[in-house]
């Protein structure tokens, strides 16, 4: 119920009118405006700009429609979906939740987490294995008891995540790699980065 009014406001204020707004702004007839799925757009922009005639494609992000991760086969006949993983299980959301825990803005501060990781060591790797689970078939899932981004509009993580990783960093807290507290945060970042890379290689294999 917390998320519903937020999403309804987005739909009623902007999303429902996107097609007519685009047609009006570009002075296009309706039959000239076509829509395709979010992950297919990613796959097409990679494949059709590449020098390859055949390809395997992996698309990964937060969420697009329902898909968060998709595997495609591309060739002369086009791009065909092979497998997909759906929301709320998402590598992008996993990384964004760690970003929030480390005191950075979601959807803009993730690069800071990647930078912070270089100052730490993956001492929380076992903890990340509890959060992000890799399966024998090449897929992954999240233990959703650590997250509530699909339930709460402002608080992406549950107290269980804080218990596992320690208190979150306040956005105003300085980062100084000479201090024990900052190294603690850097170790969390390094552990999340390693687990993300493991998950991506797992998907590729």
């Amino acid at each position: 119920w917390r998320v519903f009014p937020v999403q309804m406001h987005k739909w009623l204020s902007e999303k429902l009118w996107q097609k007519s707004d685009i047609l009006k702004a570009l002075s296009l007839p309706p039959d000239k405006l076509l829509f395709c799925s979010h992950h297919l757009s990613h796959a097409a922009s990679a494949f059709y700009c590449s020098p390859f005639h055949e390809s395997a494609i992996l698309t990964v992000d937060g969420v697009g429609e329902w898909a968060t991760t998709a595997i495609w086969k591309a060739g002369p006949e086009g791009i065909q979906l092979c497998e997909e993983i759906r929301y709320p299980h998402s590598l992008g959301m996993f990384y964004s939740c760690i970003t929030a825990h480390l005191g950075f803005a979601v959807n803009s501060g993730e690069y800071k987490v990647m930078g912070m990781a270089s100052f730490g060591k993956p001492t929380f790797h076992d903890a990340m294995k509890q959060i992000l689970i890799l399966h024998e078939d090449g897929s992954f899932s999240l233990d959703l008891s650590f997250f509530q981004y699909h339930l709460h509009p402002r608080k992406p993580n549950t107290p269980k995540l804080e218990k596992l990783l320690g208190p979150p960093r306040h956005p105003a807290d300085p980062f100084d790699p000479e201090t024990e507290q900052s190294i603690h945060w850097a170790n969390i970042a390094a552990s999340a980065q390693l687990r993300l890379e493991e998950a991506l290689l797992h998907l590729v294999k």
Side-chain angles (χ1 to χ4, degrees), residues 9-162:
H9 181 267
K10 289 181 181 179
W11 274 100
L12 295 174
S13 62
E14 51 184 275
K15 290 192 176 183
L16 283 178
W17 323 114
Q18 281 183 348
K19 182 173 182 178
S20 59
D21 288 347
I22 293 171
L23 292 172
K24 183 178 178 181
L26 299 179
S27 300
L28 287 173
D31 63 340
K32 289 293 183 180
L33 179 60
L34 306 175
F35 292 89
C36 68
S37 74
H38 184 96
H39 278 260
L40 178 58
S41 297
H42 282 313
S45 68
F47 178 62
Y48 290 122
C49 293
S50 79
F52 305 113
H53 299 293
E54 293 184 323
S55 226
I57 305 172
L58 172 65
T59 58
V60 181
D61 66 5
V63 61
E65 292 85 45
W66 282 109
T68 68
T69 303
I71 296 173
W72 311 80
K73 179 182 178 181
E77 71 285 353
I79 300 174
Q80 299 173 336
L81 177 65
C82 300
E83 300 284 351
E84 69 178 15
I85 296 172
R86 293 190 163 196
Y87 184 86
H89 300 283
S90 165
L91 295 179
M93 297 304 294
F94 160 75
Y95 207 81
S96 290
C97 286
I98 299 300
T99 298
H101 184 80
L102 292 174
F104 301 118
V106 170
N107 293 331
S108 65
E110 283 78 4
Y111 74 96
K112 295 179 181 179
V113 176
M114 188 163 52
M116 183 183 276
S118 66
F119 291 96
K121 296 180 180 179
T123 58
F124 288 89
H125 188 228
D126 286 343
M128 295 301 168
K129 287 182 178 179
Q130 295 180 49
I131 299 170
L132 172 52
I133 303 153
L134 306 183
H135 303 294
E136 289 185 3
D137 65 354
S139 67
F140 68 87
S141 63
L142 300 180
D143 182 338
L144 295 174
S145 65
F146 292 102
F147 306 111
Q148 56 184 9
Y149 54 80
H150 52 307
L151 303 173
H152 198 289
R154 291 178 300 279
K155 298 178 181 179
N157 303 324
T158 67
K160 185 176 178 181
L161 185 78
E162 295 180 15

